[in-house]
Amino acid sequence: MDEDLLRTLTPAVIGILVRRGADFATAEDAVQDALVEALRTWPTDPPRDPKGWLVTRAWRRFLDATRSDAARRRREGLVVEEPAPGPAPEVDDTLQLYFRCAHPSLSPSSAVALTLRAVGGLTTRQIAQAYLVPEATMAQRISRAKRTVSGVRLDQPGDVGTVLRVLYLVFNEGYSGEVDLSAEAVRLARQLAAAIDHPEVAGLLALMLLHHARRPARTAPDGSLVPLAEQDRSRWDTGLIAEGVAVLQAALARDQLGEFQAQAAIAALHADAPTAAETDWVQIVEWYDELVRLTGSPVVRLNRAVAVGEADGARAGLAALAELDPSLPRHAAVEAHLRERDGDLGAAARLYAEAAQKATNLAERDHLTRQAARLNACSGR
């Protein structure tokens, strides 16, 4: 990889985007995204025309960012800064649009992708990252979904489960900080819970509230990530935690366990611990076992390995991790954490650096890079 070539091309590519109508700051961000993709793909698949490749990728990023920003501004007109307790008083058709896009003629995965793109305001790249597939694959999926419903009247509401998955993905994307849609997702979940008596709807609402309650403590004043164990718990919103726990308890009492209720139970155990050291990791592992039974998700198994490492020791966590595909997103970061707990600082530093290279979120990438530097300093490297 010729990094000098990339540095040489960067100003020219930014200039081309500006001449096409992009403002300088957005053009610079788009080019930076294209450079990250180049660093990831060029070593194995070098382009014949590096400059043309960068211009094409950067322009696509600019268009995605422009659409996403426009959708975000539309949403911000409907939502206050923080979700207020109780059912949302606003009257709008956003939730109805979610159901319409989850049309019965579409497969659940296609319905989710179409809704996220058309109503949720997420870019194709963001949706692809959430589903762990290449961006081109997701673009084809969305195009097929559009063709499927192009001649269909959207007068049949879709499946509740599909709408819940869409809302959770929108919330997670907003929660990551790249697109601020978390409060909007909470608002819509409140509306849905007020309209539908369904334990999994309540479970999703509880999960969102419990995660949202911790949001003020997730970043330092400089914007860097603060891991859960290091967060200032006095900054957590106790009102949202109490509401989330109450909603969850009512849902669990109906004895119709689903994946969102199980995830909310895990979040509630974290929220209930006065300190990180007092977290009930044994019970968290039990809830992860339920979640694995319900979903079979490799990402759930990855998170379970972390919990096992906390409950039974790093060696047990590494044994659980060894059963999983190393290509899973965040696999290297999880292994780095467990290796560090096991005392293998050299391997942990190497894995943190590897995880940083793979991270798609800038704040996460910076955090992992600092972790690697910290361990390298400790070992005198």
Side-chain angles (χ1 to χ4, degrees):
M1 166 64 66
D2 190 344
E3 296 187 12
D4 290 336
L5 173 62
L6 290 177
R7 281 193 289 270
T8 302
L9 290 175
T10 295
V13 176
I14 292 174
I16 290 172
L17 264 63
V18 170
R19 287 194 295 275
R20 288 185 177 183
D23 64 90
F24 184 84
T26 307
E28 191 174 38
D29 289 343
V31 172
Q32 287 300 318
D33 283 346
L35 291 174
V36 170
E37 186 177 352
L39 289 169
R40 187 173 64 250
T41 61
W42 283 14
T44 56
D45 185 20
R48 285 178 293 182
D49 178 9
K51 182 178 179 181
W53 189 99
L54 285 172
V55 170
T56 300
R57 293 303 190 281
W59 185 248
R60 288 176 183 171
R61 296 290 182 266
F62 165 72
L63 293 177
D64 280 346
T66 301
R67 293 192 203 97
S68 179
D69 188 58
R72 176 182 59 79
R73 287 197 298 269
R74 288 196 300 271
R75 296 292 177 269
E76 286 176 348
L78 299 172
V79 66
V80 293
E81 182 177 353
E82 287 291 322
E90 294 92 340
V91 177
D92 64 80
D93 61 354
T94 306
L95 194 57
Q96 184 180 9
L97 289 174
Y98 272 68
F99 274 95
R100 291 295 183 263
C101 285
H103 196 271
S105 65
L106 296 172
S107 67
S109 61
S110 294
V112 170
L114 178 62
T115 312
L116 288 171
R117 189 73 186 90
V119 188
L122 303 190
T123 67
T124 302
R125 175 170 57 91
Q126 291 162 346
I127 302 168
Q129 290 170 355
Y131 270 86
L132 313 181
V133 300
E135 182 177 351
T137 301
M138 183 54 66
Q140 292 174 355
R141 184 180 299 176
I142 293 172
S143 295
R144 285 195 299 268
K146 289 179 178 178
R147 287 196 298 270
T148 299
V149 300
S150 61
V152 175
R153 287 178 58 85
L154 297 181
D155 54 0
Q156 293 179 267
D159 174 60
V160 172
T162 300
V163 174
L164 293 181
R165 286 191 290 275
V166 173
L167 283 175
Y168 190 43
L169 284 173
V170 171
F171 176 81
N172 277 337
E173 194 61 47
Y175 193 56
S176 74
E178 188 172 348
V179 180
D180 189 12
L181 290 172
S182 302
E184 167 68 356
V186 172
R187 185 183 73 85
L188 292 174
R190 289 190 190 282
Q191 283 191 356
L192 191 58
I196 299 177
D197 184 18
H198 192 297
E200 273 293 83
V201 173
L204 176 61
L205 175 58
L207 177 61
M208 288 183 177
L209 293 172
L210 290 164
H211 279 317
H212 208 64
R214 300 202 305 260
R215 188 174 187 179
R218 291 186 73 245
T219 54
D222 63 0
S224 60
L225 285 181
V226 180
L228 177 60
E230 301 171 18
Q231 288 177 14
D232 178 359
R233 300 186 177 215
S234 68
R235 298 184 64 199
W236 290 1
D237 189 324
T238 55
L240 286 180
I241 290 173
E243 183 186 2
V245 169
V247 171
L248 173 63
Q249 288 175 337
L252 292 175
R254 300 177 65 172
D255 198 24
Q256 299 175 40
L257 184 65
E259 61 178 291
F260 291 119
Q261 294 169 74
Q263 289 188 62
I266 293 169
L269 287 167
H270 284 297
D272 187 54
T275 65
E278 296 173 86
T279 304
D280 189 347
W281 286 106
V282 172
Q283 193 173 169
I284 287 176
V285 171
E286 292 173 355
W287 277 110
Y288 270 121
D289 289 339
E290 290 286 350
L291 200 51
V292 168
R293 180 182 62 80
L294 289 166
T295 68
S297 165
V299 175
V300 171
R301 293 180 185 274
L302 187 70
N303 292 331
R304 178 185 178 277
V306 176
V308 169
E310 298 291 341
D312 301 325
R315 296 286 175 88
L318 287 167
L321 187 66
E323 301 174 2
L324 302 176
D325 184 350
S327 67
L328 275 173
R330 296 188 62 251
H331 186 284
V334 169
E335 185 176 357
H337 169 75
L338 293 171
R339 294 289 179 192
E340 180 182 359
R341 284 181 54 84
D342 194 40
D344 190 349
L345 301 189
R350 175 180 57 78
L351 286 162
Y352 276 129
E354 178 185 331
Q357 291 178 346
K358 296 178 179 178
T360 56
N361 178 275
L362 182 59
E364 183 180 0
R365 186 184 312 147
D366 289 345
H367 170 72
L368 293 167
T369 300
R370 284 194 297 271
Q371 295 291 82
R374 172 179 59 82
L375 293 184
N376 283 328
C378 289
S379 59
R381 297 176 62 183

